[in-house]
Amino acid sequence: MANNRGKQFEAKLKQDFLASIPESTIDRLYDSVSGYKAISNISDFIGYKKPFIFYLEAKSHQGNTFPIKNLTQYDKLSKKVNIPGVRAGVIIWFIDHPECVVYVPISTFTKLIQDGKKSFHVNMVG
């Protein structure tokens, strides 16, 4: 994945969130490039539409499967599950399937991990 494609995807995600959810707001969190592993955000974006707050991680991935190990924010995002009004998930663009952009709740990743799975497959969409 080229960095500019990922950044373009993030810009489109923000644009689409605002266009499709009236009276909402979404902010891109500062992307720490300092190289310090101790500094990391919970997600790429935090969005809000009364009465919900959204923690959204954006991932662009080539191939048919998104490896769970690539979701380095899992531990932080999973702490948001079961809190009323809070939605936490990952928006994955499967680059090799241009029309396939999917929202995957963190609870789905938790279930995959519990079932011994190592990835989310594009065929799981739908």
Side-chain angles (χ1 to χ4, degrees):
M1 169 190 72
N3 189 32
N4 63 347
R5 290 184 85 181
K7 294 301 178 192
Q8 289 171 352
F9 173 57
E10 289 178 1
K12 179 74 170 136
L13 186 156
K14 183 174 182 176
Q15 176 186 0
D16 288 351
F17 185 96
L18 293 171
S20 63
I21 305 174
E23 299 178 6
S24 66
T25 185
I26 188 167
D27 293 305
R28 173 65 166 97
L29 298 180
Y30 176 73
D31 194 1
S32 175
V33 292
S34 63
Y36 295 105
K37 290 204 179 250
I39 301 172
S40 66
N41 290 326
I42 186 169
S43 59
D44 288 325
F45 294 93
I46 297 179
Y48 179 76
K49 165 66 176 169
K50 187 178 181 180
F52 298 106
I53 188 166
F54 301 88
Y55 293 91
L56 302 171
E57 181 62 22
K59 296 291 187 185
S60 302
H61 191 75
Q62 292 183 315
N64 294 326
T65 59
F66 175 78
I68 296 172
K69 69 179 181 181
N70 289 6
L71 182 55
T72 57
Q73 301 81 357
Y74 174 78
D75 289 338
K76 290 181 180 183
L77 288 169
S78 65
K79 292 177 183 170
K80 300 298 182 183
V81 175
N82 296 323
I83 300 173
V86 176
R87 302 293 181 262
V90 183
I91 299 176
I92 305 170
W93 172 31
F94 287 95
I95 295 171
D96 295 335
H97 305 270
E99 300 298 319
C100 189
V101 176
V102 60
Y103 170 78
V104 183
I106 287 301
S107 58
T108 298
F109 282 103
T110 299
K111 176 80 168 106
L112 289 170
I113 292 166
Q114 291 170 346
D115 291 347
K117 306 291 184 195
K118 300 205 182 287
S119 62
F120 180 90
H121 194 278
V122 70
N123 289 341
M124 295 172 158
V125 176

